[in-house]
Amino acid sequence: MKSRKLPPAIITLSVILFLSSGVYAFELIPSNNGVDSLNANFISVCTHGQTNGVCVDDTLLYSASGFSMLVFNVKDANQPILIGEFFSKSSVRSVSVNGDYAYLSLGSSGLAVVDISNPETPVLSEYLSVAGSVRECVADDSFAYVASDYAGLRIISIADSSSRAEVGSYNTSGNAWEVFVKDTLAYVADNATGLTVLNIKDKTSPDSVANYNTSGSAVGVFVKDTICVVSDYASGVVILNVKNPLSPSLIATFNTSGNAFKSAADDSFVYVADGVYGVRVLDISALPAVSEMGYYNTNGYTTHLALEGKTVYAADYYDGIRVIDASDPSSCAETGYYLTPSEPYGVFVDSATAYVADYSGMMEIVDVTDPFNPNTLSTIKVCTAGYNITARDNFAFSAGYDNSICAVDVTDKSNPLIADSIYLDGDARDLVIKDSLLFVAENFGGLYIVDISDPYNMVSLGSYDNGRGYGIDVQDTIAFIAGGSGGLDFLNVKNPSSPSYIGYAESYWNAQDVKVSGDYAFVAAGDSGLVVYDISNILSPSEVSKLQDISFAYSISIKDSIAYISDFNNGFFAVNISNPLTPTVSAYYFRYGRNFGIDADAEGNVFVAAEYAGLLAYKKEGEVSSVDDTREWNDPLAPVVYASSEGIIIEGDDIESVKIIDASGRIVYSGKKKSVNVGKSGVFFYSVTAGEKEYRGKVLSW
């Protein structure tokens, strides 16, 4: 049973990073792209993630959802029907379609070309390596035009599916976010440098013919006749006259309520994906006058949209695909939706079934009999936002941010049914089953005990407010509660109607989760790593060992003599605890992006709930006695990377490129500087190319 025990400060930080950061907050790193690993291999992605992009082709809609492309039948736009899916090797930023192929933008993993001749069973045609970091792609019958961030525009010949290859490129002065192709011109949203217009008549030698530097950060572009609409992020939209594309001129600007990511236009209106403010509709029928005619505030964060007639399909990030009727722009209305599961927080593996709780409040049931080929059996909405999940026999139980505990009948895993729900005080964070009782750790309420002898009629029995409850485990008549900075509390639960306080383990660390095995409590203790307590005398617990290889131990699961620990910043660790006095690392996998819940099966398959990516599956192999921290540092040509008061310093010869990534997986710098001021303290990853080799690692900035 895996925990989603995110401290309130981290929850707040996540929201702030997402909603208020600069546009680079959406620079995602491939979540299977390990910085380093030991005795662990990436296997597959088991679930979908946030909805990043949409594309409509006739009666089919294609969405970019985490690592996957989903295919929907939207013949009835009000009832999207999922008919197919394709899992890629990396996070899908956007998807575009031409003919029998879909083109998936995979950031630094390049471009995936998927055969959709049978949309119910999309299959990989090939992965293409592309310079830069692919953000968006549009294609005609002969060429694919790729907006590839710091590598500008790349043009790939696709006429012959057996020999696709880049034929030309233009490295724009900014960072190419989106491209719109019209006739022999490519209009590029070039981030800080605004709109760049390229002549692409000669595909082998595209050339810049014009630039219009907007006041914001150009992240989207759409051309309708002689009008060019630039989505200028925090500065709203910029409307340009491109009748003479060699000299774009300003017609009007309109500062939308949120952050303009993507736009589409017809003769009279511009439709804007406006972040937290959903979809905004602007009247452009009497240019240069522009006014907001209407809007629809979605529940999520709209970063992309597609327009089909007067129907807007909005990619709403955490809230799936929303279908909006804009036939009357002054009164936009949602007429349908498809709520794809989003960011997973908790995971529980029972035999060959993985149960996943995610931020959108969905519970996913996944058949992981073959982890290389996972199969989603069903999804069901169980709460506002899910933290964690556990299961036994024919029932699964979820813990929700809305204080809910939901019992789900999973007798038929393809058709789960909600049995009962109850609401407690505080945020339900973690839960564990013992006999006929469910023990719940509540963020603001401590311990709650629920009678689940009849899951169709759950009954709250007793509670004990010990302050905070992030993680929980129960052994015999004692409940162990990880309470963040409050350390580890012990409660007597012999009488579940009246639990009582026993004591606590005095500590200075941030207890996120706990699992008990025999006479020992194993605590995922935040930046103190794994801390082990001897609890043979519960009245006098003592710390017996600590493993600090882990940068932020967040969640823990124990199978046999192995503790599986999610490292919030860096991936996961497998720790041999056969001797609790000397725990040793037997495997690890470092990856960019945050990691939440973790669990493993009896075969050594490890399942990690990962930010942006979904549920990731890994295979643990072999045993070693300790972590080899030398890695590549015995290479005399490797650059030296360290932090100083001036920022992150890179020393070395023949350095060609530098990329700095923060702990959430977002690129904060990409270029050639040897001194980078990242503007904040914390753990950062770096990728430095020197000569013909790439060097990766992490550094603590202070």
Side-chain angles (χ1 to χ4, degrees):
M1 178 206 50
K2 274 344 322 113
S3 292
R4 150 69 179 163
K5 291 142 304 296
L6 200 57
I10 295 177
I11 296 174
T12 304
L13 175 61
S14 174
V15 174
I16 291 173
L17 281 172
F18 185 78
L19 298 183
S20 65
S21 290
V23 285
Y24 276 99
F26 295 90
E27 171 68 71
L28 308 187
I29 300 298
S31 295
N32 66 318
N33 188 6
V35 177
D36 193 10
S37 63
L38 175 71
N39 296 331
N41 297 307
F42 174 79
I43 296 177
S44 64
V45 184
C46 303
T47 65
H48 310 304
Q50 296 92 331
T51 304
N52 298 313
V54 287
C55 171
V56 178
D57 184 39
D58 196 18
T59 60
L60 296 176
L61 181 144
Y62 302 82
S63 77
S65 300
F67 268 50
S68 63
M69 176 190 73
L70 304 182
V71 187
F72 298 88
N73 183 329
V74 289
K75 189 172 184 179
D76 179 356
N78 299 330
Q79 294 184 322
I81 300 172
L82 180 64
I83 62 172
E85 64 181 5
F86 170 81
F87 282 99
S88 79
K89 66 178 182 178
S90 187
S91 300
V92 183
R93 286 174 167 167
S94 63
V95 57
S96 62
V97 170
N98 184 70
D100 288 338
Y101 294 98
Y103 299 86
L104 280 56
S105 301
L106 304 181
S108 57
S109 289
L111 196 67
V113 185
V114 181
D115 186 335
I116 52 171
S117 53
N118 181 355
E120 296 183 2
T121 56
V123 295
L124 178 68
S125 176
E126 69 174 314
Y127 286 112
L128 295 174
S129 178
V130 181
S133 183
V134 179
R135 290 191 168 278
E136 192 96 20
C137 171
V138 295
D140 56 27
D141 292 339
S142 300
F143 297 96
Y145 306 88
V146 181
S148 198
D149 202 291
Y150 57 89
L153 180 72
R154 323 301 292 191
I155 302 178
I156 300 171
S157 174
I158 56 173
D160 183 352
S161 60
S162 65
S163 59
R164 301 181 181 100
E166 182 176 298
V167 294
S169 65
Y170 187 89
N171 199 345
T172 57
S173 58
N175 297 80
W177 276 63
E178 187 175 21
V179 58
F180 191 102
V181 174
K182 186 173 186 288
D183 301 326
T184 60
L185 296 173
Y187 298 81
V188 179
D190 208 26
N191 205 277
T193 58
L195 175 72
T196 296
V197 184
L198 302 177
N199 182 341
I200 55 171
K201 186 174 183 179
D202 180 356
K203 304 297 188 288
T204 64
S205 185
D207 188 36
S208 176
V209 295
N211 174 263
Y212 188 92
N213 197 348
T214 60
S215 62
S217 300
V219 295
V221 59
F222 188 91
V223 179
K224 172 70 174 174
D225 300 327
T226 61
I227 300 297
C228 177
V229 181
V230 179
S231 301
D232 210 27
Y233 195 61
S235 296
V237 296
V238 178
I239 301 175
L240 302 174
N241 184 336
V242 290
K243 185 175 182 178
N244 177 5
L246 303 184
S247 181
S249 59
L250 179 66
I251 298 176
T253 62
F254 189 90
N255 199 350
T256 56
S257 301
N259 296 321
F261 284 95
K262 171 82 174 176
S263 61
D266 57 23
D267 291 336
S268 301
F269 301 100
V270 171
Y271 306 83
V272 184
D274 204 35
V276 72
Y277 287 92
V279 175
R280 320 304 285 192
V281 183
L282 308 182
D283 185 348
I284 59 167
S285 60
L287 289 172
V290 181
S291 61
E292 184 171 88
M293 175 62 72
Y295 61 87
Y296 186 83
N297 277 333
T298 58
N299 292 324
Y301 195 86
T302 306
T303 59
H304 206 279
L305 57 74
L307 179 66
E308 186 72 10
K310 288 295 184 180
T311 301
V312 178
Y313 297 92
D316 211 31
Y317 206 68
Y318 288 122
D319 220 38
I321 298 164
R322 320 307 293 191
V323 183
I324 299 166
D325 179 4
S327 54
D328 178 1
S330 65
S331 182
C332 297
E334 183 175 273
T335 58
Y337 65 90
Y338 191 94
L339 187 59
T340 53
S342 62
E343 185 171 85
Y345 281 161
V347 56
F348 178 82
V349 180
D350 182 18
S351 185
T353 303
Y355 298 89
V356 184
D358 74 33
Y359 186 78
S360 67
M362 302 289 283
M363 181 186 84
E364 279 187 274
I365 304 177
V366 184
D367 182 351
V368 290
T369 303
D370 177 5
F372 287 88
N373 295 285
N375 177 36
T376 299
L377 300 176
S378 59
T379 60
I380 185 172
K381 179 80 170 179
V382 294
C383 61
T384 302
Y387 273 138
N388 215 334
I389 195 162
T390 189
R392 189 179 66 183
D393 300 330
N394 292 323
F395 290 90
F397 300 87
S398 73
Y401 179 76
D402 56 359
N403 314 330
S404 68
I405 299 296
C406 184
V408 181
D409 189 331
V410 294
T411 304
D412 179 358
K413 294 181 175 62
S414 298
N415 185 33
L417 303 170
I418 292 180
D420 192 19
S421 293
I422 62 173
Y423 291 84
L424 309 173
D425 295 329
D427 300 334
R429 292 296 186 92
D430 197 8
L431 64 181
V432 63
I433 299 172
K434 181 173 175 59
D435 301 326
S436 62
L437 300 176
L438 184 70
F439 295 84
V440 183
E442 291 265 350
N443 181 22
F444 301 111
L447 171 70
Y448 283 81
I449 304 174
V450 179
D451 183 348
I452 57 170
S453 54
D454 178 5
Y456 280 88
N457 185 29
M458 295 187 291
V459 178
S460 179
L461 295 178
S463 64
Y464 188 93
D465 187 356
N466 64 304
R468 291 193 182 278
Y470 291 163
I472 188 170
D473 202 5
V474 176
Q475 180 174 268
D476 299 327
T477 60
I478 299 174
F480 300 80
I481 299 179
S485 58
L488 186 66
D489 285 327
F490 313 128
L491 301 179
N492 185 332
V493 293
K494 185 174 183 179
N495 179 0
S497 298
S498 182
S500 58
Y501 187 73
I502 297 175
Y504 69 101
E506 185 173 358
S507 65
Y508 52 87
W509 33 263
N510 194 357
Q512 299 295 303
D513 197 8
V514 58
K515 290 296 173 286
V516 177
S517 179
D519 289 336
Y520 297 93
F522 298 84
V523 181
D527 52 14
S528 290
L530 174 68
V531 179
V532 184
Y533 271 86
D534 183 338
I535 53 170
S536 55
N537 180 357
I538 198 63
L539 297 179
S540 182
S542 59
E543 181 182 317
V544 294
S545 61
K546 182 184 293 186
L547 183 68
Q548 293 184 287
D549 298 85
I550 307 163
S551 69
F552 194 96
Y554 183 70
S555 185
I556 182 171
S557 176
I558 294 177
K559 295 292 171 68
D560 298 325
S561 60
I562 301 295
Y564 297 91
I565 302 166
S566 67
D567 187 332
F568 185 76
N569 298 319
N570 295 330
F572 80 88
F573 283 77
V575 179
N576 188 325
I577 56 171
S578 55
N579 182 356
L581 304 183
T582 57
T584 56
V585 174
S586 63
Y588 61 80
Y589 194 99
F590 292 169
R591 59 168 289 274
Y592 299 125
R594 299 183 299 179
N595 307 275
F596 303 125
I598 188 170
D599 205 358
D601 63 17
E603 308 302 319
N605 299 307
V606 185
F607 300 88
V608 180
E611 180 182 41
Y612 302 129
L615 184 68
L616 303 182
Y618 301 89
K619 182 70 175 178
K620 174 185 171 294
E621 306 283 0
E623 292 283 337
V624 296
S625 60
S626 63
V627 178
D628 177 11
D629 280 327
T630 60
R631 296 197 253 286
E632 292 184 299
W633 305 122
N634 57 354
D635 182 350
L637 299 179
V640 176
V641 182
Y642 61 93
S644 75
S645 59
E646 298 178 355
I648 295 176
I649 308 299
I650 301 95
E651 294 181 351
D653 298 325
D654 300 325
I655 293 177
E656 298 175 2
S657 68
V658 175
K659 188 179 291 185
I660 306 294
I661 304 98
D662 69 16
S664 70
R666 299 174 175 87
I667 292 178
V668 296
Y669 174 76
S670 180
K672 295 184 178 181
K673 289 183 179 180
K674 292 187 177 183
S675 176
V676 180
N677 184 354
V678 292
K680 59 182 179 180
S681 61
V683 175
F684 290 84
F685 297 101
Y686 62 83
S687 170
V688 178
T689 301
E692 298 181 352
K693 190 172 182 180
E694 181 184 18
Y695 298 86
R696 293 176 172 180
K698 64 179 179 178
V699 61
L700 179 63
S701 176
W702 43 273

